Amino acid sequence: MTTEPLTKRQRMAIGRQEMPARDAGERSGTFNEVNLGFTEQLALLEAQRCLACARPVCVEGCPVSVDIPSFVASIEAGDLAAAARALFGDNALPAVTGRVCPQEHQCEAVCVRGRKGAPVAIGHLERFVADWARGHPHDDVVTSEPSGRRVAIIGAGPGGLTAAGELARRGHDVTIYEALHLPGGVLSYGIPEFRLPNEIVDNEVDRLQALGVHIECNVVIGRTYTLDELRKSFDALFISVGAGLPMFLDIPGEGFKGVYTANEYLTRVNLMRAYAFPEADTPVLRGERVVVIGGGNVAIDAVRTARRLGARQAMIVYRRSRPEMPARVEEVHHAEQEGVTFEFQVNPVAIEGDADRWVTGLRVIATELGEPDESGRRAPRPIAGSERVIPCDAVVVAVGTRANPLLTSSSPDLALTNRGYLAADERGMTNLPGVFAGGDIVRGSATVILAMADGKRVADSIDSYLSGTPVELTAP
Amino acid sequence: MGHEVISNTSLSPTVHRLVVSAPRIAVVRQPGQFVIVRLGPGAERIPLTIVGSDAAAGTIELVIQAVGKSTADLVAVAAGSYIDDVAGPLGQPTDLITKGTAVCLAGGVGAAVMYPIARRLSEIGVELITVVGARSSASILFEDEFRSFGDLIVCTDDGSAGRAGFVTDALADLIAAQTVDVVYAAGPVPMMRAASAVTSPRDIRTIVSLNPIMVDGTGMCGGCRVTVAGAMRFACVDGPEFDAHSVDFDELADRLTTYGAAERIAVDHVCRSAGQPVTGRHGAG
Ligand SMILES: Cc1cc2nc3c(=O)[nH]c(=O)nc-3n(C[C@H](O)[C@H](O)[C@H](O)COP(=O)(O)OP(=O)(O)OC[C@H]3O[C@@H](n4cnc5c(N)ncnc54)[C@H](O)[C@@H]3O)c2cc1C
Ligand SMILES: Cc1cc2nc3c(=O)[nH]c(=O)nc-3n(C[C@H](O)[C@H](O)[C@H](O)COP(=O)(O)OP(=O)(O)OC[C@H]3O[C@@H](n4cnc5c(N)ncnc54)[C@H](O)[C@@H]3O)c2cc1C
Ligand code: SF4
Ligand code: FES
């Protein structure tokens, strides 16, 4: 280890280390993870770029206030165990967030080094420490006596999993109910293997089970049990069912064969492993030319999946311009390397099909950008006479999701927002005492880290609720 | 873990009745609801009607016609073996009438869908006429049971039992001869479409149980979408039963052919490789 601390000048002289990645040609044919992870050498160099600012703004940029300077300093000092302790103190799933957080809008967006040049690669470092920690498991222990209180968590996505761990460690008896046959939520059925390997979610689920958390799959709350039944048999509930209802464009042709929602397409491939058909039983149409409508992470995941399933042409059709795409910059970059093409500023008007109702193309109209709308993004306006057809044999609609009414419609007492999401107060409690909610079902489609932040905050609230002490509020 | 298959009996050359352990579902399920079943690692999630249940024994009854790889695998599960995943009860319960005359119309394995409905209607005490159709006498399902619920008309394509011809012809004669308040129908899409055409001129309320391809069964994927009265509905959460006169049957029939080529590959693959086990994460139940 270096004995002399580096000077600021020396630190400034180190450029941002590049994440080693599988070759684009090789990876566009497989579902193996694209990013290979920093080596110890790269991690050390990257950690040395941190200036250890007196006021670490990066921490403010992180929705869960990860103690970034501390874990980065521990990497630099070569003490990865200490780095892991610092990280896990604030973030239950760093191996996930290090891979999927939109760092460029969060911690790295405010990093001082980004003002001149590239910010510290906080996400890559986070992933490095988390992956090291998986190979060097620390003792995760229940720190409290059994409380004798039972908590039910509905939905095993990142929000539910985080809350489960926090509550179990404090001695509560936790049961997670999950509608699908595997836990993980979007991490299992949505985000593909090439971005987030399944073993990371499995690892977390194993840790929770070792803490005594019960996970019951194939239980659909609102159908198998009602919310009221759970309220009678548990002391508190956490609803973290996500926002899983896919939206359509409401244009002609959405019933044609070859039209998928991103949820169906990705679920077939990820959860049901259709990429291995016929070894696995679930099929998926492998289009030669696949068009994906949308510009978020979901759309990029779908288009990169199409490429891996053998599409010769895998295209994103997005109604705004490139800088407005909400997807993670790294994924867009990777998609381009893999040969994905982009059509910006076009709006779909109809899906075309042949006499047998198979998709043959997507009819689009070009748009120009008008004045910024209430979201601050410029609203696209169609240009008359600019319609044309993009030939394709599969269309994947990735234009967002809404609240799934399956659970809420079976509990009429539960207060909803006017958009159908759950209304919750600062503690995360709904209008029903002891019933808490968080993640996408409260926020609308948001992010993994925000769902986790909710899980953690609600675990605090539930703990206080169960012990009858007032909650100390922390900013979400 | 998993769900023990308590018994597996053959009802006709391709149809089996499985009694499966699913204690919670056995208690709360209602006529018209279904489960999503996944046999094990690598298997598909497929929807199957809950034909009956025994709450005390904690079992549900499934009646499965082997039409492809997944259903063939399920009917081959021996008593004492396990099915990894059974999720439910899913879908909306049947909207049952409480007085008047009902006709239950079942074609082929649609009898499995109609059985719990007919049974409950007979318990409620409405006038009930069941019409079941099958290819031949050997494949008629639940004949004795339906007879015990009320009147029964049997139709076979080859005339080997009951009346020769389609169930929808029998239905047309029925509604011409007497007052019918509601028709419940389940079976192949052409049969449901024809039933709808028969009752529509007289404006007889007709409820069909739709069978689109499903994945999750919770409203998450949109794969089960059907068009009803011009609007998109998800059969797994809004249905599976809808007003027949408003259903776009052409779209439903067409979407069911989506994986025709893949289904043939799945079956061929089994014939060639005799079903190598699929290992890995998804082996976890
Ligand atoms: C393809 C895709 C890519 C994404 N990429 C990113 C990314 O790169 N970075 C990022 O930060 N975010 C990303 N997101 C968003 C992120 O995944 C979500 O914001 C996050 O998963 C929300 O977590 P959650 O715990 O609220 O719900 P979810 O992850 O949606 O999990 C909810 C769980 O509840 C279950 N459930 C639903 N209803 C019931 C019921 N009635 N009974 C029992 N269980 C039920 C569901 O089956 C599901 O398992 C992506 C989303 C998708 C779809
Ligand atoms: C709500 C609901 C309840 C059902 N209840 C029953 C039941 O009680 N008993 C029963 O035997 N079947 C039932 N089905 C149909 C059953 O789910 C399908 O037969 C099964 O999914 C076919 O899978 P496979 O792999 O064996 O056949 P595949 O190889 O996938 O398909 C073989 C043939 O069946 C057709 N098919 C595929 N999927 C379906 C489907 N979902 N519905 C109808 N035809 C399909 C295909 O077009 C093809 O012609 C139900 C379907 C739904 C939606
Ligand atoms: S959790 Fe996300 S925002 Fe916070 S430090 Fe890690 S990568 Fe950055
Ligand atoms: S089966 Fe997925 S939404 Fe109905």
Side-chain angles (χ1 to χ4, degrees):
Chain A
M1 286 298 106
T2 30
T3 37
E4 281 294 296
L6 298 183
T7 63
K8 183 172 174 191
R9 183 189 218 109
Q10 285 171 315
R11 291 179 186 277
M12 290 297 289
I14 309 170
R16 181 167 160 131
Q17 302 304 302
E18 230 180 274
M19 168 62 83
R22 229 175 270 279
D23 171 72
E26 171 207 327
R27 73 184 188 232
S28 55
T30 78
F31 281 83
N32 295 332
E33 192 177 13
V34 169
N35 281 343
L36 298 170
F38 273 169
T39 59
E40 253 183 89
Q41 178 63 26
L42 289 172
L44 176 65
L45 276 169
E46 189 61 36
Q48 286 173 340
R49 297 184 65 231
C50 174
L51 305 175
C53 308
R55 185 181 149 230
V57 281
C58 52
V59 178
E60 293 163 31
C62 170
V64 298
S65 310
V66 164
D67 189 350
I68 297 164
S70 157
F71 96 77
V72 174
S74 296
I75 298 175
E76 192 182 338
D79 188 351
L80 294 181
R85 275 194 303 277
L87 198 48
F88 280 99
D90 301 301
N91 181 340
L93 302 171
V96 175
T97 53
R99 287 172 167 83
V100 306
C101 260
Q103 286 96 2
E104 68 269 19
H105 299 304
Q106 299 180 170
C107 49
E108 295 182 21
V110 287
C111 172
V112 168
R113 289 218 50 183
R115 284 186 212 154
K116 272 188 267 155
V120 173
I122 299 167
H124 295 344
L125 289 176
E126 180 168 296
R127 172 196 160 143
F128 171 75
V129 174
D131 286 355
W132 176 88
R134 273 192 296 140
H136 301 77
H138 60 289
D139 286 334
D140 193 358
V141 284
V142 178
T143 49
S144 313
E145 291 292 298
S147 67
R149 298 309 190 94
R150 301 183 69 216
V151 182
I153 293 178
I154 309 171
L161 295 176
T162 304
E166 295 286 333
L167 288 163
R169 273 177 219 109
R170 290 178 224 182
H172 303 301
D173 182 2
V174 180
T175 303
I176 308 182
Y177 293 108
E178 167 55 49
L180 295 173
H181 61 266
L182 285 176
V186 168
L187 308 182
S188 285
Y189 75 73
I191 302 179
E193 182 80 8
F194 56 81
R195 220 153 55 84
L196 179 67
N198 289 328
E199 56 162 311
I200 289 168
V201 178
D202 292 350
N203 196 270
E204 179 59 19
V205 167
D206 290 347
R207 280 204 319 153
L208 290 179
Q209 282 172 332
L211 282 173
V213 172
H214 315 279
I215 303 185
E216 288 196 34
C217 289
N218 302 313
V219 177
V220 185
I221 305 304
R223 293 272 199 263
T224 319
Y225 297 92
T226 63
L227 199 66
D228 283 342
E229 282 175 292
L230 294 190
R231 288 182 77 195
K232 293 199 186 93
S233 36
F234 290 89
D235 298 298
L237 307 184
F238 178 41
I239 303 174
S240 49
V241 294
L245 187 79
M247 295 207 284
F248 285 82
L249 289 156
D250 206 13
I251 58 175
E254 285 181 313
F256 288 155
K257 301 187 294 287
V259 181
Y260 285 113
T261 66
N263 273 6
E264 181 181 0
Y265 191 66
L266 292 169
T267 298
R268 283 182 178 273
V269 177
N270 298 327
L271 186 70
M272 307 311 296
R273 299 201 306 151
Y275 62 84
F277 182 87
E279 268 77 27
D281 293 343
T282 304
V284 68
L285 296 173
R286 292 176 180 242
E288 278 274 294
R289 288 183 293 188
V290 180
V291 167
V292 178
I293 304 168
N297 284 315
V298 185
I300 302 292
D301 282 344
V303 81
R304 294 174 72 195
T305 295
R307 192 85 174 112
R308 283 164 172 76
L309 291 174
R312 210 160 27 81
Q313 171 204 286
M315 181 192 280
I316 285 279
V317 165
Y318 183 51
R319 64 202 181 107
R320 301 176 196 262
S321 65
R322 184 183 192 110
E324 277 126 330
M325 283 215 293
R328 290 181 81 229
V329 168
E330 184 184 27
E331 312 309 336
V332 177
H333 177 62
H334 280 158
E336 266 181 328
Q337 289 178 334
E338 289 159 13
V340 167
T341 53
F342 295 81
E343 282 273 359
F344 293 109
Q345 285 176 242
V346 284
N347 222 3
V349 290
I351 297 167
E352 313 253 307
D354 63 16
D356 294 326
R357 302 170 59 99
W358 285 101
V359 169
T360 56
L362 179 69
R363 178 171 289 280
V364 296
I365 187 163
T367 60
E368 57 192 359
L369 290 179
E371 296 304 305
D373 62 12
E374 55 299 351
S375 73
R377 295 188 299 183
R378 289 177 296 162
R381 278 197 310 244
I383 301 170
S386 67
E387 275 193 25
R388 71 197 154 93
V389 174
I390 302 171
C392 61
D393 44 24
V395 170
V396 180
V397 182
V399 294
T401 55
R402 285 178 304 182
N404 188 330
L406 183 60
L407 173 121
T408 51
S409 64
S410 70
S411 322
D413 297 343
L414 206 52
L416 305 181
T417 67
N418 53 9
R419 286 158 66 225
Y421 293 99
L422 282 178
D425 64 18
E426 328 76 80
R427 291 169 298 173
M429 190 144 88
T430 65
N431 65 315
L432 303 180
V435 180
F436 296 78
D440 281 4
I441 188 59
V442 171
R443 295 172 179 273
S445 307
T447 58
V448 170
I449 189 67
L450 287 173
M452 288 171 52
D454 286 355
K456 194 175 170 199
R457 184 171 47 100
V458 165
D460 291 345
S461 302
I462 289 180
D463 194 44
S464 309
Y465 172 81
L466 293 177
S467 57
T469 54
V471 198
E472 243 186 77
L473 295 178
T474 47
Chain B
M1 279 248 309
H3 299 258
E4 188 178 355
V5 175
I6 309 296
S7 67
N8 177 345
T9 42
S10 164
L11 299 184
S12 85
T14 57
V15 180
H16 282 230
R17 172 177 176 272
L18 269 64
V19 175
V20 178
S21 166
R24 174 65 194 175
I25 298 171
V27 174
V28 292
R29 71 93 193 173
Q30 296 180 60
Q33 292 188 300
F34 64 95
V35 284
I36 292 264
V37 173
R38 177 177 166 271
L39 177 54
E44 255 181 310
R45 295 170 63 95
I46 65 161
L48 295 166
T49 303
I50 307 166
V51 175
S53 64
D54 182 336
T59 56
I60 59 169
E61 195 179 313
L62 305 176
V63 171
I64 308 168
Q65 180 171 35
V67 294
K69 164 90 168 59
S70 302
T71 44
D73 288 351
L74 277 169
V75 301
V77 177
S81 300
Y82 287 79
I83 294 174
D84 274 5
D85 305 290
V86 178
L90 301 171
Q92 303 291 339
T94 305
D95 185 359
L96 296 162
I97 58 163
T98 51
K99 56 179 192 296
T101 303
V103 170
C104 283
L105 193 71
V109 78
V113 178
M114 210 36 75
Y115 175 82
I117 298 171
R119 180 175 169 166
R120 184 61 58 82
L121 285 169
S122 88
E123 286 164 2
I124 293 170
V126 306
E127 286 296 315
L128 176 65
I129 306 153
T130 306
V131 183
V132 286
R135 217 157 266 162
S136 67
S137 63
S139 40
I140 300 165
L141 299 173
F142 299 119
E143 185 173 354
D144 296 342
E145 290 85 345
F146 282 129
R147 211 179 291 285
S148 74
F149 300 153
D151 289 345
L152 176 69
I153 300 169
V154 169
C155 307
T156 50
D157 295 352
D158 63 0
S160 56
R163 122 178 213 174
F166 295 132
V167 287
T168 43
D169 298 334
L171 176 68
D173 294 350
L174 258 179
I175 63 172
Q178 69 170 94
T179 312
V180 169
D181 297 295
V182 62
V183 174
Y184 298 94
V189 177
M191 176 221 127
M192 292 192 284
R193 184 201 280 119
S196 177
V198 166
T199 60
S200 142
R202 287 173 191 261
D203 224 8
I204 297 171
R205 197 168 148 230
T206 302
I207 297 170
V208 281
S209 181
L210 304 186
N211 57 350
I213 294 168
M214 295 186 176
V215 184
D216 60 299
T218 68
M220 182 270 279
C221 78
C224 65
R225 61 191 181 275
V226 290
T227 302
V228 182
M232 186 192 291
R233 309 292 298 276
F234 290 178
C236 71
V237 286
D238 302 326
E241 293 171 10
F242 294 98
D243 167 29
H245 301 151
S246 310
V247 169
D248 183 342
F249 287 106
D250 292 345
E251 180 186 81
L252 173 66
D254 175 63
R255 288 181 59 79
L256 278 168
T257 66
T258 303
Y259 299 103
E263 282 147 9
R264 285 188 295 279
I265 293 172
V267 173
D268 289 353
H269 178 74
V270 178
C271 301
R272 278 201 318 275
S273 67
Q276 287 164 2
V278 178
T279 51
R281 157 169 210 257
H282 295 253

